[in-house]
Amino acid sequence: MKRNRLFTAICLAAATLLTACTQDELAEPGNTLPDGAYPLQIGRVSITAESSAKPWTRVAENETDGMGSHWTGGERIGVRIGDNEETGLYIINVDDAGNVTVTPETSVYWKNSRTAEVTAWYPATDGTVNLRNQDRNGLTYVLRGIGTGNHQTPVTLSFTHQLAKVRVVTKGTARVGGIDIHNNPVSCNIRQGKIIQNMFMKDRVPMRQTTCQDGTECWEANVVPGEEIQYIIVTNINLNISHSCEISPNITPEAGKVHTITITANSEGTQTIDLSTLTDTREIADNGTYYVTGTGQYGIRVTGGGEPNIYLEDARISVSSGHAISITDNASPTIHVVGDNNTVQCTGRTRGQEGAGIYVAQGSTVTITGSSTEDKLTAIGGGGGAGIGGYYLNGSSNFSCGDIYISNVTVTARGSGSIQNDYASGIGAAGSATVGSINISNAVVYVYGTGSSNYGAAAIGGGISSTSVTNKQTEFSIIISDSEVYATRGSSSASYIGMAGDRLASPANYNIISTAHITNSTIYNESGTEITQ
């Protein structure tokens, strides 16, 4: 996949030139000016955007948008007035507040009073520009600016990029250790900001690893425009093995544009599940590695006692009944959350549509993890099911859940209520069923129990059934460490973390039950107030 974005220009706005002569003395066009009397002065450097495009200027990339950059200070630009062969050198200065000024190192002077074209370029020195070491030294830039003015008029120089940017966004189960552009120029010659088109030496161009504005990992390099890119080379960090990936269709980079390529790099043996192509629930009953992506209306069932690794990246499962992900028969999968666009939910609300976002049957275990809390998963139950945990089947029975481990990830989990007033926790039990161990570490969790004015499930822990309000689990194994939890309980009768409650018969005794082990963590209620045991 590729996407082009236009770079926009830098404007170098020159201050009004110093003058020692009167307007009348210089009224005639073409009058020669005294040598060294009228230096070109650049008063400020400003960045402007055209239309909806974003500026991309030099010299370091903007961390906020990934599509712009900024001067860092100390850059030297060359400047020339008209066809005068004299070249001035100017220094970009940036103070601690980010204010930019320009001072001359070697001034260039107006020779006459006629309006003339002014050119500027970066780098200031002609010669060879190295494109090979951008992975270590940062991106390489070549810019050229053109404007018009005279000795009395401030000069605005609009700079444009002479190189093209290639950005590779990586997905998949493989740990990418490096990406190179294959058979591309490793240097180019420049003269006054122009790339001199001659025979370029070609080899691998290592790309610089960075983070895109949406938090995804990506790799970037600036390259010579017009040189077709057919392949990129991906290195697996675990196996130190390189693999050549063909870019189809090929890309011919254009100066001043960003060309984005998305690749999926999976480890050998990984099976891909494209949710959009499923026509029924997909069963996993082994210890394999699975990469799940896309949007679909059929769920995944993990069974057979297996311990598979399941990677969710841009995965959105929305089932109208049953479970988005079901874990049964003593299975113990690890669900790896990649990126911030993953949702598993049951949308059912009426009889026969009950289900959890992730159902963990009693005797089974689920581990939900990411590389950091930038990885995000939303799990929503339907018709009396927990976001993550158990569920209630109307007119039948409550289904208890097994053990739940959550780490290094951001999770949003919402329970639901049934039409018969049976309520589920966000993480844990549904109805009057039980729940195994819940262990949350190094995570950010937003969790919502459900309820009514009389009955309420806990945010984390127990659910409640209107037909057996006294039959609730009261003892829980809940461990929370090094985490932030934002908890909303189903009613004021329930715990935030612990047991469910009934306003008339058996309200919970604690906001957080005494048996919960909470260390180096903060628990907030729905009002944003910190709560303690």
Side-chain angles (χ1 to χ4, degrees), residues 444-472:
V444 177
V445 176
Y446 300 88
V447 61
Y448 304 83
T450 54
S452 65
S453 58
N454 288 329
Y455 312 113
I460 300 176
I464 190 168
S465 172
S466 62
T467 59
S468 54
V469 294
T470 59
N471 183 21
K472 299 187 304 295

PDB file of all heavy atoms in Angstrom, residues 444-472:
ATOM      1  N   VAL A 444      -3.006  -0.485  31.957  1.00  0.00           N
ATOM      2  CA  VAL A 444      -4.036   0.536  32.180  1.00  0.00           C
ATOM      3  C   VAL A 444      -5.366  -0.120  31.835  1.00  0.00           C
ATOM      4  O   VAL A 444      -5.534  -0.653  30.731  1.00  0.00           O
ATOM      5  CB  VAL A 444      -3.813   1.781  31.308  1.00  0.00           C
ATOM      6  CG1 VAL A 444      -4.954   2.770  31.517  1.00  0.00           C
ATOM      7  CG2 VAL A 444      -2.470   2.426  31.634  1.00  0.00           C
ATOM      8  N   VAL A 445      -6.311  -0.103  32.780  1.00  0.00           N
ATOM      9  CA  VAL A 445      -7.564  -0.833  32.602  1.00  0.00           C
ATOM     10  C   VAL A 445      -8.742   0.094  32.867  1.00  0.00           C
ATOM     11  O   VAL A 445      -8.813   0.758  33.913  1.00  0.00           O
ATOM     12  CB  VAL A 445      -7.627  -2.050  33.546  1.00  0.00           C
ATOM     13  CG1 VAL A 445      -8.973  -2.750  33.416  1.00  0.00           C
ATOM     14  CG2 VAL A 445      -6.497  -3.025  33.249  1.00  0.00           C
ATOM     15  N   TYR A 446      -9.640   0.152  31.899  1.00  0.00           N
ATOM     16  CA  TYR A 446     -10.927   0.836  32.054  1.00  0.00           C
ATOM     17  C   TYR A 446     -11.988  -0.264  32.101  1.00  0.00           C
ATOM     18  O   TYR A 446     -12.152  -1.005  31.126  1.00  0.00           O
ATOM     19  CB  TYR A 446     -11.185   1.778  30.880  1.00  0.00           C
ATOM     20  CG  TYR A 446     -10.145   2.855  30.739  1.00  0.00           C
ATOM     21  CD1 TYR A 446      -8.993   2.636  29.993  1.00  0.00           C
ATOM     22  CD2 TYR A 446     -10.311   4.098  31.342  1.00  0.00           C
ATOM     23  CE1 TYR A 446      -8.024   3.621  29.853  1.00  0.00           C
ATOM     24  CE2 TYR A 446      -9.352   5.091  31.214  1.00  0.00           C
ATOM     25  CZ  TYR A 446      -8.211   4.842  30.468  1.00  0.00           C
ATOM     26  OH  TYR A 446      -7.256   5.819  30.340  1.00  0.00           O
ATOM     27  N   VAL A 447     -12.710  -0.369  33.216  1.00  0.00           N
ATOM     28  CA  VAL A 447     -13.551  -1.543  33.416  1.00  0.00           C
ATOM     29  C   VAL A 447     -14.906  -1.124  33.977  1.00  0.00           C
ATOM     30  O   VAL A 447     -15.001  -0.260  34.855  1.00  0.00           O
ATOM     31  CB  VAL A 447     -12.822  -2.564  34.332  1.00  0.00           C
ATOM     32  CG1 VAL A 447     -12.537  -1.987  35.695  1.00  0.00           C
ATOM     33  CG2 VAL A 447     -13.550  -3.881  34.399  1.00  0.00           C
ATOM     34  N   TYR A 448     -15.953  -1.755  33.417  1.00  0.00           N
ATOM     35  CA  TYR A 448     -17.318  -1.331  33.717  1.00  0.00           C
ATOM     36  C   TYR A 448     -18.181  -2.538  34.065  1.00  0.00           C
ATOM     37  O   TYR A 448     -18.397  -3.421  33.237  1.00  0.00           O
ATOM     38  CB  TYR A 448     -17.941  -0.616  32.514  1.00  0.00           C
ATOM     39  CG  TYR A 448     -17.143   0.568  32.023  1.00  0.00           C
ATOM     40  CD1 TYR A 448     -16.066   0.391  31.171  1.00  0.00           C
ATOM     41  CD2 TYR A 448     -17.481   1.852  32.419  1.00  0.00           C
ATOM     42  CE1 TYR A 448     -15.329   1.478  30.711  1.00  0.00           C
ATOM     43  CE2 TYR A 448     -16.761   2.951  31.966  1.00  0.00           C
ATOM     44  CZ  TYR A 448     -15.674   2.757  31.118  1.00  0.00           C
ATOM     45  OH  TYR A 448     -14.947   3.835  30.662  1.00  0.00           O
ATOM     46  N   GLY A 449     -18.664  -2.577  35.321  1.00  0.00           N
ATOM     47  CA  GLY A 449     -19.687  -3.536  35.682  1.00  0.00           C
ATOM     48  C   GLY A 449     -21.057  -2.983  35.320  1.00  0.00           C
ATOM     49  O   GLY A 449     -21.213  -1.791  35.042  1.00  0.00           O
ATOM     50  N   THR A 450     -22.074  -3.853  35.327  1.00  0.00           N
ATOM     51  CA  THR A 450     -23.419  -3.410  34.977  1.00  0.00           C
ATOM     52  C   THR A 450     -24.376  -3.675  36.134  1.00  0.00           C
ATOM     53  O   THR A 450     -24.084  -4.439  37.051  1.00  0.00           O
ATOM     54  CB  THR A 450     -23.928  -4.133  33.720  1.00  0.00           C
ATOM     55  OG1 THR A 450     -23.821  -5.549  33.936  1.00  0.00           O
ATOM     56  CG2 THR A 450     -23.105  -3.746  32.516  1.00  0.00           C
ATOM     57  N   GLY A 451     -25.545  -3.047  36.063  1.00  0.00           N
ATOM     58  CA  GLY A 451     -26.511  -3.247  37.131  1.00  0.00           C
ATOM     59  C   GLY A 451     -27.723  -2.364  36.961  1.00  0.00           C
ATOM     60  O   GLY A 451     -27.914  -1.705  35.940  1.00  0.00           O
ATOM     61  N   SER A 452     -28.535  -2.363  38.002  1.00  0.00           N
ATOM     62  CA  SER A 452     -29.738  -1.528  38.050  1.00  0.00           C
ATOM     63  C   SER A 452     -29.738  -0.805  39.385  1.00  0.00           C
ATOM     64  O   SER A 452     -28.751  -0.842  40.124  1.00  0.00           O
ATOM     65  CB  SER A 452     -30.984  -2.404  37.910  1.00  0.00           C
ATOM     66  OG  SER A 452     -31.096  -3.276  39.018  1.00  0.00           O
ATOM     67  N   SER A 453     -30.843  -0.173  39.709  1.00  0.00           N
ATOM     68  CA  SER A 453     -30.909   0.530  40.994  1.00  0.00           C
ATOM     69  C   SER A 453     -30.818  -0.431  42.169  1.00  0.00           C
ATOM     70  O   SER A 453     -30.376  -0.049  43.255  1.00  0.00           O
ATOM     71  CB  SER A 453     -32.203   1.347  41.081  1.00  0.00           C
ATOM     72  OG  SER A 453     -33.335   0.487  40.929  1.00  0.00           O
ATOM     73  N   ASN A 454     -31.240  -1.686  41.978  1.00  0.00           N
ATOM     74  CA  ASN A 454     -31.208  -2.660  43.069  1.00  0.00           C
ATOM     75  C   ASN A 454     -29.984  -3.567  43.019  1.00  0.00           C
ATOM     76  O   ASN A 454     -29.386  -3.871  44.052  1.00  0.00           O
ATOM     77  CB  ASN A 454     -32.459  -3.524  43.047  1.00  0.00           C
ATOM     78  CG  ASN A 454     -33.697  -2.766  43.480  1.00  0.00           C
ATOM     79  OD1 ASN A 454     -33.613  -1.857  44.300  1.00  0.00           O
ATOM     80  ND2 ASN A 454     -34.840  -3.127  42.925  1.00  0.00           N
ATOM     81  N   TYR A 455     -29.614  -4.035  41.823  1.00  0.00           N
ATOM     82  CA  TYR A 455     -28.558  -5.024  41.707  1.00  0.00           C
ATOM     83  C   TYR A 455     -27.360  -4.424  40.970  1.00  0.00           C
ATOM     84  O   TYR A 455     -27.537  -3.600  40.065  1.00  0.00           O
ATOM     85  CB  TYR A 455     -29.020  -6.253  40.926  1.00  0.00           C
ATOM     86  CG  TYR A 455     -30.351  -6.808  41.359  1.00  0.00           C
ATOM     87  CD1 TYR A 455     -31.453  -6.743  40.510  1.00  0.00           C
ATOM     88  CD2 TYR A 455     -30.500  -7.392  42.609  1.00  0.00           C
ATOM     89  CE1 TYR A 455     -32.678  -7.251  40.891  1.00  0.00           C
ATOM     90  CE2 TYR A 455     -31.735  -7.902  43.012  1.00  0.00           C
ATOM     91  CZ  TYR A 455     -32.818  -7.829  42.150  1.00  0.00           C
ATOM     92  OH  TYR A 455     -34.030  -8.329  42.544  1.00  0.00           O
ATOM     93  N   GLY A 456     -26.191  -4.882  41.336  1.00  0.00           N
ATOM     94  CA  GLY A 456     -25.018  -4.393  40.631  1.00  0.00           C
ATOM     95  C   GLY A 456     -23.870  -5.373  40.662  1.00  0.00           C
ATOM     96  O   GLY A 456     -23.568  -5.986  41.699  1.00  0.00           O
ATOM     97  N   ALA A 457     -23.228  -5.559  39.518  1.00  0.00           N
ATOM     98  CA  ALA A 457     -22.006  -6.362  39.456  1.00  0.00           C
ATOM     99  C   ALA A 457     -20.808  -5.472  39.764  1.00  0.00           C
ATOM    100  O   ALA A 457     -20.851  -4.245  39.610  1.00  0.00           O
ATOM    101  CB  ALA A 457     -21.860  -6.972  38.058  1.00  0.00           C
ATOM    102  N   ALA A 458     -19.741  -6.093  40.211  1.00  0.00           N
ATOM    103  CA  ALA A 458     -18.498  -5.365  40.438  1.00  0.00           C
ATOM    104  C   ALA A 458     -17.871  -4.985  39.099  1.00  0.00           C
ATOM    105  O   ALA A 458     -18.166  -5.587  38.057  1.00  0.00           O
ATOM    106  CB  ALA A 458     -17.533  -6.220  41.244  1.00  0.00           C
ATOM    107  N   ALA A 459     -17.000  -3.989  39.117  1.00  0.00           N
ATOM    108  CA  ALA A 459     -16.234  -3.686  37.908  1.00  0.00           C
ATOM    109  C   ALA A 459     -15.280  -4.843  37.612  1.00  0.00           C
ATOM    110  O   ALA A 459     -15.224  -5.344  36.486  1.00  0.00           O
ATOM    111  CB  ALA A 459     -15.463  -2.378  38.087  1.00  0.00           C
ATOM    112  N   ILE A 460     -14.553  -5.274  38.639  1.00  0.00           N
ATOM    113  CA  ILE A 460     -13.686  -6.453  38.538  1.00  0.00           C
ATOM    114  C   ILE A 460     -14.099  -7.412  39.636  1.00  0.00           C
ATOM    115  O   ILE A 460     -14.079  -7.057  40.813  1.00  0.00           O
ATOM    116  CB  ILE A 460     -12.198  -6.092  38.706  1.00  0.00           C
ATOM    117  CG1 ILE A 460     -11.748  -5.113  37.623  1.00  0.00           C
ATOM    118  CG2 ILE A 460     -11.332  -7.336  38.668  1.00  0.00           C
ATOM    119  CD1 ILE A 460     -10.314  -4.629  37.789  1.00  0.00           C
ATOM    120  N   GLY A 461     -14.500  -8.612  39.265  1.00  0.00           N
ATOM    121  CA  GLY A 461     -14.870  -9.604  40.276  1.00  0.00           C
ATOM    122  C   GLY A 461     -16.191 -10.268  40.001  1.00  0.00           C
ATOM    123  O   GLY A 461     -16.358 -10.952  38.985  1.00  0.00           O
ATOM    124  N   GLY A 462     -17.177 -10.062  40.887  1.00  0.00           N
ATOM    125  CA  GLY A 462     -18.409 -10.840  40.867  1.00  0.00           C
ATOM    126  C   GLY A 462     -19.550 -10.227  40.096  1.00  0.00           C
ATOM    127  O   GLY A 462     -19.675  -9.006  39.987  1.00  0.00           O
ATOM    128  N   GLY A 463     -20.403 -11.102  39.548  1.00  0.00           N
ATOM    129  CA  GLY A 463     -21.653 -10.708  38.937  1.00  0.00           C
ATOM    130  C   GLY A 463     -22.808 -11.035  39.868  1.00  0.00           C
ATOM    131  O   GLY A 463     -22.608 -11.507  40.994  1.00  0.00           O
ATOM    132  N   ILE A 464     -24.046 -10.809  39.405  1.00  0.00           N
ATOM    133  CA  ILE A 464     -25.201 -11.049  40.255  1.00  0.00           C
ATOM    134  C   ILE A 464     -26.398 -11.453  39.401  1.00  0.00           C
ATOM    135  O   ILE A 464     -26.567 -10.988  38.270  1.00  0.00           O
ATOM    136  CB  ILE A 464     -25.535  -9.787  41.093  1.00  0.00           C
ATOM    137  CG1 ILE A 464     -26.583 -10.112  42.156  1.00  0.00           C
ATOM    138  CG2 ILE A 464     -25.954  -8.629  40.206  1.00  0.00           C
ATOM    139  CD1 ILE A 464     -26.734  -8.997  43.187  1.00  0.00           C
ATOM    140  N   SER A 465     -27.215 -12.355  39.955  1.00  0.00           N
ATOM    141  CA  SER A 465     -28.424 -12.811  39.288  1.00  0.00           C
ATOM    142  C   SER A 465     -29.639 -12.427  40.120  1.00  0.00           C
ATOM    143  O   SER A 465     -29.651 -12.604  41.343  1.00  0.00           O
ATOM    144  CB  SER A 465     -28.386 -14.336  39.101  1.00  0.00           C
ATOM    145  OG  SER A 465     -29.617 -14.819  38.630  1.00  0.00           O
ATOM    146  N   SER A 466     -30.668 -11.907  39.475  1.00  0.00           N
ATOM    147  CA  SER A 466     -31.870 -11.487  40.203  1.00  0.00           C
ATOM    148  C   SER A 466     -32.575 -12.673  40.840  1.00  0.00           C
ATOM    149  O   SER A 466     -33.325 -12.515  41.795  1.00  0.00           O
ATOM    150  CB  SER A 466     -32.829 -10.774  39.253  1.00  0.00           C
ATOM    151  OG  SER A 466     -33.245 -11.660  38.214  1.00  0.00           O
ATOM    152  N   THR A 467     -32.341 -13.879  40.348  1.00  0.00           N
ATOM    153  CA  THR A 467     -33.007 -15.067  40.888  1.00  0.00           C
ATOM    154  C   THR A 467     -32.243 -15.684  42.051  1.00  0.00           C
ATOM    155  O   THR A 467     -32.754 -16.557  42.737  1.00  0.00           O
ATOM    156  CB  THR A 467     -33.178 -16.114  39.788  1.00  0.00           C
ATOM    157  OG1 THR A 467     -31.899 -16.477  39.259  1.00  0.00           O
ATOM    158  CG2 THR A 467     -34.052 -15.572  38.673  1.00  0.00           C
ATOM    159  N   SER A 468     -31.022 -15.230  42.287  1.00  0.00           N
ATOM    160  CA  SER A 468     -30.229 -15.799  43.387  1.00  0.00           C
ATOM    161  C   SER A 468     -29.278 -14.747  43.929  1.00  0.00           C
ATOM    162  O   SER A 468     -28.063 -14.900  43.888  1.00  0.00           O
ATOM    163  CB  SER A 468     -29.453 -17.031  42.911  1.00  0.00           C
ATOM    164  OG  SER A 468     -28.666 -16.717  41.775  1.00  0.00           O
ATOM    165  N   VAL A 469     -29.839 -13.654  44.424  1.00  0.00           N
ATOM    166  CA  VAL A 469     -29.009 -12.529  44.849  1.00  0.00           C
ATOM    167  C   VAL A 469     -28.125 -12.875  46.036  1.00  0.00           C
ATOM    168  O   VAL A 469     -27.109 -12.226  46.279  1.00  0.00           O
ATOM    169  CB  VAL A 469     -29.886 -11.306  45.186  1.00  0.00           C
ATOM    170  CG1 VAL A 469     -30.562 -10.787  43.950  1.00  0.00           C
ATOM    171  CG2 VAL A 469     -30.905 -11.645  46.265  1.00  0.00           C
ATOM    172  N   THR A 470     -28.488 -13.870  46.815  1.00  0.00           N
ATOM    173  CA  THR A 470     -27.661 -14.241  47.957  1.00  0.00           C
ATOM    174  C   THR A 470     -26.586 -15.248  47.572  1.00  0.00           C
ATOM    175  O   THR A 470     -25.703 -15.539  48.367  1.00  0.00           O
ATOM    176  CB  THR A 470     -28.526 -14.832  49.078  1.00  0.00           C
ATOM    177  OG1 THR A 470     -29.222 -15.994  48.577  1.00  0.00           O
ATOM    178  CG2 THR A 470     -29.538 -13.805  49.561  1.00  0.00           C
ATOM    179  N   ASN A 471     -26.673 -15.790  46.382  1.00  0.00           N
ATOM    180  CA  ASN A 471     -25.710 -16.797  45.947  1.00  0.00           C
ATOM    181  C   ASN A 471     -24.616 -16.111  45.123  1.00  0.00           C
ATOM    182  O   ASN A 471     -24.537 -16.229  43.912  1.00  0.00           O
ATOM    183  CB  ASN A 471     -26.415 -17.878  45.117  1.00  0.00           C
ATOM    184  CG  ASN A 471     -25.459 -18.982  44.721  1.00  0.00           C
ATOM    185  OD1 ASN A 471     -24.422 -19.159  45.344  1.00  0.00           O
ATOM    186  ND2 ASN A 471     -25.814 -19.713  43.677  1.00  0.00           N
ATOM    187  N   LYS A 472     -23.783 -15.380  45.841  1.00  0.00           N
ATOM    188  CA  LYS A 472     -22.725 -14.634  45.168  1.00  0.00           C
ATOM    189  C   LYS A 472     -21.374 -15.098  45.686  1.00  0.00           C
ATOM    190  O   LYS A 472     -21.219 -15.476  46.851  1.00  0.00           O
ATOM    191  CB  LYS A 472     -22.867 -13.134  45.431  1.00  0.00           C
ATOM    192  CG  LYS A 472     -24.169 -12.528  44.931  1.00  0.00           C
ATOM    193  CD  LYS A 472     -24.176 -11.028  45.068  1.00  0.00           C
ATOM    194  CE  LYS A 472     -23.923 -10.558  46.477  1.00  0.00           C
ATOM    195  NZ  LYS A 472     -24.983 -10.951  47.403  1.00  0.00           N
TER     196      LYS A 472
END
